[in-house]
């Protein structure tokens, strides 16, 4: 077995026994990146030298300290290029940050570095995480490892593709409206969007500040759980991060029916006309399997679901238009010269932002402008409250809600090229969790006729990540979809 095929637990066992070193593990991933990433384009920046130095540090730490049990020590990690890492470029997939090197590290990354993880590099993303396909990156699209003609999803498409192609065992992403879960689904890996406020946003370049969360990709719920626990928790540098105890997720399962006592809701609003038939059937089959594992399946309703899409596409662009105001050619990145301050702003922003970022800035500025604020942004906030209440109400009846991650499997590159609305519809099942602030977990539950992975989503109550991870772990112990490998060599 190749070192890049190891799960986190397997790698850790071999590291602890001294049968492999972190340098060897890291080297194996760097070699696979060198061999395959030309075709995939999942990385925007690979730091081979830095990674090997960190790996040597981890090997040294393991030799000299009694830290052998730290589960992430010496394990490689890929980081979406919207999280800053001191010493590495951060572009957010945008020309407006080309060449920018931040002088600090995001708290989530810094915590994982402290746990001994080895940063391989930065992964491709839609510009400022705006998109569902990675096609909005100014640096070229990432290809789906299951079919190179298709998108990996987005916006964290680089991280999802890297994990699916075994270029990295684990990766970080960000999820504002589905950007961890939808690419996880398209690439057949496990991806967690934690509760809003669970993981510090410090050092995550802001898109929609009331929706953004830092999430993780891995090849199993068990692997994702380790990263989730290590990066979570209150951070003084992010006032919205919550001081809630971080669980060490208990994944021990008992007996044939480990999900006994777990109530799983099936919301009727998420099984609507227009979903690809194979997506619906794979998800329904997975729900039956959860029932077989002991869970009680209960039909539920989230009645305001249909408003999530328009509400999100007012709130997210509104917040984005304010957040992106800082990119003016003066403070960060390249500058297009002009004959006045305004001239510099206009030219730099006009030339360096791509079409989707520009569209969002215009939509958001309009939604926030005098005379329209109440009608658009204010109204959207009110409906957001109703969506949040739907979830609060449902979680008095069930422990988790199960549904598709996205209405389709991975689509062809260019398929939604001139139709932003078709692209926005990809997020119809993932946006509600961000509007409500609840956690969501995506994991593979089958394939369609073209051999493309289908993902299922579990959403849970605020700070209920452990329950979602446990349910997915029970499913993964009983099935092997998550072990299937994209045929890319
Ligand atoms: N696709 C959604 C958007 O474009 C969500 C992106 C995200 O979660 N960052 O806004």
């Amino acid at each position: 077995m190749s070192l890049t095929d190891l799960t986190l637990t397997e790698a850790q066992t071999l590291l602890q026994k001294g049968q492999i070193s972190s340098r060897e593990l890291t080297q194996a991933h760097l070699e696979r990146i060198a061999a395959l990433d030309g075709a995939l384009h999942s990385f925007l920046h690979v730091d081979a030298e830095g990674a090997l130095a960190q790996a040597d540090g981890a090997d040294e730490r393991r030799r000299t300290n009694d830290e052998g049990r730290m589960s992430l020590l010496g394990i490689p990690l890929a980081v979406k290029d919207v999280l800053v890492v001191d010493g590495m470029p951060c572009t957010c997939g945008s020309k407006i940050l080309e060449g920018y090197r931040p002088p600090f590290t995001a708290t989530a990354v810094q915590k994982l570095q402290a746990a001994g993880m080895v940063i391989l590099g930065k992964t491709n993303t839609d510009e400022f995480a705006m998109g569902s396909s990675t096609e909005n990156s100014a640096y070229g699209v990432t290809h789906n490892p299951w079919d190179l003609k298709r998108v990996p999803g987005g916006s964290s498409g680089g991280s999802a593709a890297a994990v699916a192609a075994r270029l990295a065992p684990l990766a970080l992403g960000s999820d504002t409206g589905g950007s961890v879960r939808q690419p996880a689904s398209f690439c057949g890996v496990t991806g967690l969007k934690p509760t809003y406020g669970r993981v510090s946003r410090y050092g995550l370049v802001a898109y929609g500040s009331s929706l953004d969360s830092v999430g993780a990709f891995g090849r199993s719920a068990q692997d994702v759980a380790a990263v989730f626990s290590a990066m979570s928790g209150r951070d003084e540098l992010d006032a919205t991060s919550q001081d809630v105890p971080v669980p060490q997720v208990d994944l021990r399962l008992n007996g044939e029916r480990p999900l006994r006592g777990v109530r799983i809701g099936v919301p009727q609003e998420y099984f609507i006309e227009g979903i690809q038939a194979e997506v619906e059937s794979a998800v329904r089959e997975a729900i039956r399997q959860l029932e077989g594992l002991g869970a009680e399946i209960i039909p539920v309703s989230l009645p305001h679901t249909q408003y999530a899409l328009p509400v999100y596409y007012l709130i997210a662009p509104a917040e984005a238009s304010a957040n992106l105001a800082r990119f003016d050619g003066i403070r960060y990145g390249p500058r297009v010269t002009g004959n006045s301050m305004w001239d510099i702003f206009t030219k730099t922003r006009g030339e360096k932002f791509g079409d989707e970022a520009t569209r969002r800035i215009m939509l958001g500025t309009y939604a926030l402008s005098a005379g329209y604020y109440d009608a658009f942004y204010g109204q959207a906030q009110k409906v957001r409250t109703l969506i949040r209440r739907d979830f609060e109400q449902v979680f008095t009846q069930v422990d988790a809600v199960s549904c598709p991650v996205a209405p389709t499997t991975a689509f062809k590159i260019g398929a939604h090229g001139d139709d932003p609305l078709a692209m926005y519809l990809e997020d119809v099942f993932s946006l509600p969790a961000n509007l409500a602030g609840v956690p969501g977990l995506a994991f593979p539950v089958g394939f369609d006729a073209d051999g493309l992975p289908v993902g299922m989503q579990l959403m849970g109550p605020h700070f209920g990540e452990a329950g979602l991870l446990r349910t997915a772990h029970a499913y993964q112990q009983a099935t092997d979809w998550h072990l299937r490998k994209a045929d890319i060599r």
Side-chain angles (χ1 to χ4, degrees), residues 4 9 42 50 70 73 80 117 138 147 151 163 168 194 204 332 345 376-377 380 391:
T4 52
T9 319
S42 62
M70 284 181 57
L73 183 59
K80 182 182 183 182
M117 291 197 90
D147 176 352
V151 302
V163 171
L204 167 67
Y332 311 85
F345 288 179
F376 292 119
Y377 188 71
F391 280 93

Side-chain angles (χ1 to χ4, degrees), residues 44-242:
L44 291 178
H45 174 74
V46 177
D47 181 21
E49 217 175 291
L52 290 171
Q54 293 168 70
D56 287 342
D59 286 332
E60 184 62 21
R61 221 165 120 179
R62 192 179 295 280
R63 263 195 302 278
T64 51
N65 303 330
D66 186 23
E67 288 182 304
R69 298 207 163 275
M70 284 181 57
S71 75
L72 294 170
L73 183 59
I75 304 289
L77 175 77
V79 177
K80 182 182 183 182
D81 201 21
V82 293
L83 286 152
V84 300
V85 181
D86 193 358
M88 286 189 197
C90 183
T91 66
C92 298
S94 180
K95 290 283 179 203
I96 210 160
L97 281 177
E98 193 166 20
Y100 171 60
R101 283 187 181 258
F104 66 111
T105 297
T107 300
V109 177
Q110 182 264 317
K111 284 190 173 201
L112 296 173
Q113 282 177 320
M117 291 197 90
V118 170
I119 314 294
L120 295 170
K122 307 293 290 290
T123 56
N124 201 8
T125 167
D126 285 297
E127 184 172 15
F128 290 104
M130 295 169 181
S132 309
S133 67
T134 322
E135 293 170 289
N136 295 337
S137 167
Y139 301 98
V141 65
T142 296
H143 299 259
N144 190 312
W146 294 91
D147 176 352
L148 296 177
K149 290 192 284 305
R150 294 185 185 257
V151 302
S155 61
S156 315
S159 284
V163 171
R166 295 165 196 250
L167 309 187
L170 292 153
L172 293 184
S174 65
D175 190 314
T176 303
S179 278
V180 167
R181 290 160 288 154
Q182 186 256 19
S185 175
F186 279 18
C187 291
V189 299
T190 302
L192 174 69
K193 174 208 117 54
T195 308
Y196 181 80
R198 175 65 104 172
V199 180
S200 171
R201 290 184 294 114
Y202 181 71
L204 167 67
V205 177
Y207 163 15
S209 305
S210 74
L211 304 156
D212 293 341
S213 52
V214 179
F217 295 92
R219 289 196 293 267
S220 68
Q222 187 170 26
D223 287 9
V224 167
V227 171
F228 161 69
S229 296
M231 71 177 173
S232 296
R234 166 78 186 157
D235 175 15
E236 303 235 308
L237 298 170
D238 172 8
T240 63
S241 69
Q242 298 292 313

Side-chain angles (χ1 to χ4, degrees), residues 9 11 13 88 108 114 155 175 206 222 245 261 264 281 302-303 329 352 354 380 404 480:
T9 319
T13 309
M88 286 189 197
S155 61
D175 190 314
Q222 187 170 26
I264 295 179
S281 59
L302 292 160
K352 301 291 181 186
D480 69 354

Side-chain angles (χ1 to χ4, degrees), residues 36 81 97 175 205 272 309 339 363 383 431 469 478:
L36 296 177
D81 201 21
L97 281 177
D175 190 314
V205 177
I272 46 173
L309 194 80
N339 47 32
L363 276 172
V383 182
L431 307 167
L469 289 161

Side-chain angles (χ1 to χ4, degrees), residues 139-364:
Y139 301 98
V141 65
T142 296
H143 299 259
N144 190 312
W146 294 91
D147 176 352
L148 296 177
K149 290 192 284 305
R150 294 185 185 257
V151 302
S155 61
S156 315
S159 284
V163 171
R166 295 165 196 250
L167 309 187
L170 292 153
L172 293 184
S174 65
D175 190 314
T176 303
S179 278
V180 167
R181 290 160 288 154
Q182 186 256 19
S185 175
F186 279 18
C187 291
V189 299
T190 302
L192 174 69
K193 174 208 117 54
T195 308
Y196 181 80
R198 175 65 104 172
V199 180
S200 171
R201 290 184 294 114
Y202 181 71
L204 167 67
V205 177
Y207 163 15
S209 305
S210 74
L211 304 156
D212 293 341
S213 52
V214 179
F217 295 92
R219 289 196 293 267
S220 68
Q222 187 170 26
D223 287 9
V224 167
V227 171
F228 161 69
S229 296
M231 71 177 173
S232 296
R234 166 78 186 157
D235 175 15
E236 303 235 308
L237 298 170
D238 172 8
T240 63
S241 69
Q242 298 292 313
D243 194 5
V244 174
V246 178
Q248 280 303 324
V249 184
D250 181 1
L251 295 176
R252 283 168 302 180
L253 303 172
N254 284 326
E256 295 272 287
R257 292 165 67 79
L259 297 180
R260 224 182 358 242
V262 178
R263 298 162 304 167
I264 295 179
V266 181
Q268 59 191 43
E269 293 82 0
Y270 284 68
F271 293 85
I272 46 173
E273 221 173 290
I275 325 183
Q276 191 179 325
E278 296 147 304
V279 170
E280 172 157 1
S281 59
V283 170
R284 290 212 186 267
E285 176 57 27
I287 293 170
R288 272 192 290 279
Q289 279 170 300
L290 294 176
E291 190 171 25
L293 292 167
E296 186 186 348
I297 307 299
I298 302 170
V300 294
S301 175
L302 292 160
H304 296 92
T305 300
Q306 59 172 312
Y307 304 112
L309 194 80
V311 165
Y312 174 88
Y313 277 100
L314 281 165
I315 293 177
E319 294 182 4
S321 69
N323 280 326
L324 296 188
R326 73 192 62 163
F327 303 110
D328 53 12
I330 307 290
R331 286 173 280 193
Y332 311 85
R335 176 180 311 164
V336 180
T337 50
N339 47 32
S340 71
M341 182 184 77
W342 291 109
D343 198 30
I344 291 173
F345 288 179
T346 313
K347 285 191 174 138
T348 303
R349 289 169 67 85
E351 283 180 30
K352 301 291 181 186
F353 278 131
D355 288 349
E356 189 58 30
T358 305
R359 184 178 297 122
R360 306 279 177 112
I361 292 168
M362 291 171 75
L363 276 172

Side-chain angles (χ1 to χ4, degrees), residues 301-305 386-395:
S301 175
L302 292 160
H304 296 92
T305 300
L386 298 177
I387 292 168
R388 195 183 165 98
R389 281 191 197 144
D390 279 359
F391 280 93
E392 281 165 6
Q393 198 274 331
V394 125
F395 291 128

